[in-house]
Amino acid sequence: MEKVRKQQAFWRTYGPVVIWWEDLLEIVSSLKQYAEVSISTADYEFKSLDELKEHVGAQATLFVLDIDTAKPFVSIDLTRMEARLYISAGPQAAQLLLELDGILSRCQRPFPWAYRFWFVMLLSALSFGLNIFFLNGRPELVAQIASLALSGLSLWPFWVGYVNVRRVCVIKMQRRSERRSFFERNQDQLIMLLVGALVGGLVTFAGVMVKEHFYPSTPAVNAPKSP
């Protein structure tokens, strides 16, 4: 009796991913070698990435996108809470897994394990232990520095919770090379904040000067010591 090795399906899940335009092109190019590709958002279905880009805009950011083929059946589900790849059993399954898994793994945020539940729990326990160690019987300066550092650590679980609920998948319609720095994206707001701070400081200083001119502060007089 001849033994035949069964073909198997593959599936993978990924940590939070940021997918840029060239990554989408690479994914679709890999799939087009085997079948027609279907691309859809929560509300619309598109025949090509160019059609999607024309619809949403070249600077758009998406959080939901499905990329599928029928034969072989491949499903790449990108949602706010999950990034999942499924490939049905077939002769091309292993090769597709090699190509698509390589792309999606590369798109994961740095240190994807830091977004796992177990790491958040470990970090919380470590923060609690260090808090007890540093804040009991330590010099005041050391305690203050440690408290500030531990406060920063305690913010990470909140960020992880936000990402895992709302931003597991971030899909950019622009190329990675076209992304702008934080200052470039927010320079108008930063300039307004700086101007507002300067104006506020000047107004406060002017108010103090006017007050001192009309209502000068009376210097404190020490009470005479009793003989």
Side-chain angles (χ1 to χ4, degrees):
M1 183 176 63
E2 183 181 357
K3 295 181 180 179
V4 179
R5 184 179 180 86
K6 288 185 177 181
Q7 296 176 339
Q8 60 177 346
F10 299 99
W11 65 275
R12 297 284 190 276
T13 58
Y14 301 90
V17 295
V18 179
I19 300 176
W20 296 86
W21 177 250
E22 61 264 35
D23 302 318
L24 290 175
L25 290 174
E26 194 172 349
I27 289 171
V28 171
S29 176
S30 296
L31 290 171
K32 276 187 173 180
Q33 300 177 64
Y34 306 98
E36 185 177 349
V37 182
S38 171
I39 302 165
S40 59
T41 61
D43 301 310
Y44 298 96
E45 185 173 339
F46 303 93
K47 295 181 179 179
S48 67
L49 285 175
D50 290 332
E51 189 177 318
L52 168 66
K53 192 172 189 178
E54 182 179 356
H55 175 76
V56 300
Q59 303 298 320
T61 298
L62 304 179
F63 302 97
V64 176
L65 188 67
D66 291 331
I67 304 174
D68 307 305
T69 62
K71 293 182 180 181
F73 178 73
V74 179
S75 175
I76 302 175
D77 298 324
L78 306 172
T79 71
R80 287 185 178 273
M81 299 180 65
E82 182 183 40
R84 186 174 69 91
L85 166 67
Y86 177 81
I87 304 172
S88 65
Q92 302 95 359
Q95 181 62 31
L96 277 168
L97 177 68
L98 181 65
E99 296 176 12
L100 298 175
D101 181 64
I103 300 169
L104 293 171
S105 296
R106 184 185 69 213
C107 292
Q108 292 183 112
R109 292 177 184 266
F111 312 111
W113 44 264
Y115 293 84
R116 302 294 185 186
F117 176 75
W118 64 264
F119 180 79
V120 172
M121 295 301 295
L122 178 63
L123 185 65
S124 299
L126 179 63
S127 178
F128 179 76
L130 291 175
N131 187 70
I132 295 175
F133 176 77
F134 280 109
L135 301 185
N136 289 336
R138 302 292 170 180
E140 183 177 354
L141 179 60
V142 173
Q144 290 176 350
I145 295 174
S147 178
L148 183 62
L150 294 173
S151 296
L153 284 178
S154 66
L155 295 177
W156 182 251
F158 293 98
W159 170 248
V160 169
Y162 172 68
V163 169
N164 284 331
V165 171
R166 300 294 297 171
R167 296 177 69 90
V168 167
C169 297
V170 178
I171 304 114
K172 304 279 190 178
M173 290 293 102
Q174 59 185 143
R175 292 184 178 275
R176 188 178 281 102
S177 60
E178 296 172 350
R179 61 182 172 183
R180 298 180 298 166
S181 67
F182 174 81
F183 179 77
E184 290 174 329
R185 295 194 310 268
N186 302 279
Q187 59 180 341
D188 293 337
Q189 294 88 334
L190 292 173
I191 291 172
M192 290 302 296
L193 286 174
L194 179 60
V195 171
L198 290 174
V199 171
L202 290 173
V203 169
T204 302
F205 177 75
V208 171
M209 295 299 295
V210 169
K211 175 185 174 298
E212 289 295 327
H213 179 76
F214 291 101
Y215 304 100
S217 301
T218 303
V221 178
N222 295 328
K225 295 182 180 179
S226 58

